[in-house]
Amino acid sequence: MNPADLGLPVDVPSTALFTDHYELTMLQAALANGTADRRSVFEVFTRRLPEGRRYGVLAGTGRVLDAVENFRFDGAVLEFLRERAVVDMRTLDWLASYRFSGDIWGYPEGEVYFPGSPVLRVEGSFAECVLLETVVLSILNHDSAIAAAASRMASAAGDRPLIEMGARRTHELAAVAASRAAYVGGFTSTSDLAAGFRYGIPTVGTSAHAFTLLHDSERDAFTAQVASLGSGTTLLVDTYDVAEAVRTAVEVAGTGLGAVRIDSGDLLLVAHRVRQQLDELGATDTRIVVTSDLDEYAIASLAAAPVDAYGVGTQLVTGSGHPTCSMVYKLVARAESADPKAPLVPVAKKSSGGKTSIGGRKWAARRVDADGVAEAEVVGTGPVPAALAGRQLLVQLVKGGEVVAREPLDTVRARHRRARAGLPLSATQLSRGEPVIPTEYA
């Protein structure tokens, strides 16, 4: 069974405290003045893409669904809130039975998005929806930033596989989420065993420089590794002299050596030299894996090099310079009561400073040209035009508090590949530019 199908809880007793203090004080005030039950619509979107990005990648939706299911105020959490006097007893009593019972719609995970895209819409009472703001944003902002970086790296790598190996460069739990997001964006495997256990992502790894340094000679280290892991293993060849290491590696493992890894130096030059040397030694099928602080630009620069796979760490798990997507969670409509038939009134922030928003419950569709290539992201609040009815992007994720759209991670990964392929070719350019398609408001 795919672990992603299980809806496993996150590695904490509850997600309820993954929130900001003021979410609870707003709840207390709304309960006191009788507005807490007003039917409300919140939407997640970003006003702009990070500089230089041509498209965004939605990732983390599956983790959001887990977080919503595990958003529970148990005894220990309630006691913490009581001791700190965060809210009053009436609010604590309300929180004790909290279960999200509303509806959530959103772009399917792995889909691409643009400025103004309503990637998630949360509907229910103000009280139950407002509490989810921080945990939703923390997941989507982090995971989508990693997935966008991964997608750019995957485009630059072409058909060559990418290994996620950034666990030691970020928080231990963030590393697991980053590995998942990288897989969505196009990476093929991870070095992080927790990610493999939690999400079923293929895991890989052989040895580091420490293993070579442990032994009296490089030959001894290679001999020990091959004896334990077989000739198909990957030998790290840049601890001392690369040329000598490659010669020794083939002598020890034979021409059936699986791969060599290069982790330093001028990768373009060294890769060419290593390939030539391997071929001269008869190891024509031995692959070359390169690592060493790669990003999408470095990967692109190696397109003509005889490289078979890339390992990426720091730049990936930090979003390659953009560790957040600046997504926001805004109230866009509300009714005057809890009555589901009560009309929704559009609401929006109107202050200056670039933080305005558009009120109203949104729909979104992607218009394509005659060749099926995306040409605009269309967002509206009124009736959906007939021409776009079959191209709507939002799907229901939660209905009446129950998750209805959990899916395997491989399905999400395949969706992103299709979504990226449906964009104009300029989407894969690494040069700076505006979003590859405009957002139009209907």
Side-chain angles (χ1 to χ4, degrees):
M1 178 178 289
N2 189 325
D5 296 332
L6 300 178
L8 297 176
V10 294
D11 298 329
V12 292
S14 166
T15 55
L17 292 185
F18 288 170
T19 192
D20 288 305
H21 187 119
Y22 79 170
E23 311 290 9
L24 299 188
T25 52
M26 281 193 287
L27 169 65
Q28 176 178 307
L31 288 171
N33 78 348
T35 54
D37 290 334
R38 286 187 171 183
R39 188 161 62 98
S40 300
V41 179
F42 286 82
E43 289 176 351
V44 176
F45 61 93
T46 186
R47 296 183 176 94
R48 63 191 66 83
L49 297 179
E51 184 180 0
R53 297 288 195 258
R54 312 301 297 278
Y55 61 92
V57 180
L58 180 66
T61 307
R63 296 207 309 120
V64 166
L65 299 180
D66 290 345
V68 170
E69 284 188 328
N70 289 284
F71 204 91
R72 303 285 187 267
F73 292 84
D74 58 22
V77 170
L78 292 170
E79 180 61 19
F80 165 79
L81 296 175
R82 186 193 65 78
E83 289 179 351
R84 298 293 182 92
V86 174
V87 289
D88 60 19
M89 288 305 300
R90 177 187 179 183
T91 306
L92 290 174
D93 290 342
W94 189 93
L95 292 172
S97 60
Y98 177 87
R99 300 290 186 275
F100 180 75
S101 64
D103 298 332
I104 299 178
W105 293 70
Y107 281 32
E109 188 170 11
E111 184 57 83
V112 297
Y113 68 87
F114 299 91
S117 295
V119 295
L120 200 74
R121 187 174 72 221
V122 182
E123 305 182 18
S125 71
F126 175 84
E128 63 180 338
C129 294
V130 75
L131 293 182
L132 299 178
E133 176 180 5
T134 303
V135 70
V136 165
L137 289 179
S138 66
I139 292 172
L140 294 185
N141 269 314
H142 174 269
D143 290 21
S144 297
I146 306 304
S151 181
R152 284 161 60 87
M153 293 174 187
S155 292
D159 294 330
R160 297 170 178 177
L162 290 157
I163 306 163
E164 184 279 312
M165 47 197 306
R168 62 190 63 187
R169 297 291 187 257
T170 189
H171 184 279
E172 65 273 17
L173 295 182
V176 181
S179 180
R180 181 187 184 279
Y183 192 68
V184 170
F187 275 59
T188 54
S189 57
T190 179
S191 66
D192 190 76
L193 289 175
F197 174 77
R198 175 67 179 82
Y199 296 115
I201 301 169
T203 60
V204 296
T206 50
S207 67
H209 294 291
F211 187 77
T212 300
L213 296 171
L214 169 68
H215 293 80
D216 295 335
S217 70
E218 199 165 45
R219 180 178 294 275
D220 288 348
F222 289 172
T223 300
Q225 184 174 327
V226 170
S228 177
L229 301 178
S231 61
T233 190
T234 300
L235 295 176
L236 182 59
V237 296
D238 72 324
T239 304
Y240 305 118
D241 178 81
V242 172
E244 182 61 30
V246 171
R247 184 179 303 108
T248 302
V250 175
E251 288 176 358
V252 170
T255 56
L257 173 62
V260 296
R261 179 162 74 95
I262 307 166
D263 189 48
S264 59
D266 183 336
L267 296 179
L268 179 61
L269 176 63
V270 175
H272 277 287
R273 288 178 174 174
V274 168
R275 181 73 272 160
Q276 181 179 352
Q277 185 180 10
L278 287 169
D279 292 346
E280 290 173 349
L281 293 170
T284 55
D285 293 329
T286 298
R287 298 177 301 115
I288 297 175
V289 180
V290 297
T291 53
S292 188
D293 207 25
L294 300 175
D295 62 10
E296 60 266 47
Y297 300 100
I299 292 170
S301 74
L302 293 168
V307 171
D308 298 287
Y310 305 93
V312 188
T314 303
Q315 293 301 316
L316 175 65
V317 299
T318 56
S320 194
H322 297 290
T324 181
C325 302
S326 298
M327 290 180 180
V328 294
Y329 183 100
K330 296 298 181 183
L331 180 65
V332 297
R334 55 90 175 166
E336 293 186 354
S337 71
D339 186 348
K341 296 181 180 180
L344 289 170
V345 178
V347 295
K349 181 177 178 179
K350 297 298 183 183
S351 61
S352 61
K355 288 191 174 183
T356 59
S357 56
I358 298 174
R361 185 178 185 269
K362 315 290 191 310
W363 53 264
R366 189 162 299 143
R367 192 173 68 240
V368 299
D369 63 18
D371 296 318
V373 178
E375 63 178 14
E377 191 89 336
V378 185
V379 177
T381 57
V384 181
L388 295 174
R391 301 203 59 82
Q392 294 189 72
L393 291 162
L394 279 82
V395 299
Q396 189 154 28
L397 304 171
V398 175
K399 183 176 182 180
E402 298 295 324
V403 174
V404 296
R406 185 174 278 112
E407 55 190 356
L409 198 55
D410 282 333
T411 300
V412 175
R413 173 182 163 85
R415 176 182 296 120
H416 174 62
R417 190 181 306 115
R418 293 193 302 271
R420 190 176 63 202
L423 296 176
L425 287 176
S426 56
T428 61
Q429 293 178 340
L430 297 182
S431 57
R432 297 185 184 278
E434 296 299 314
V436 70
I437 62 173
T439 302
E440 300 177 358
Y441 292 94

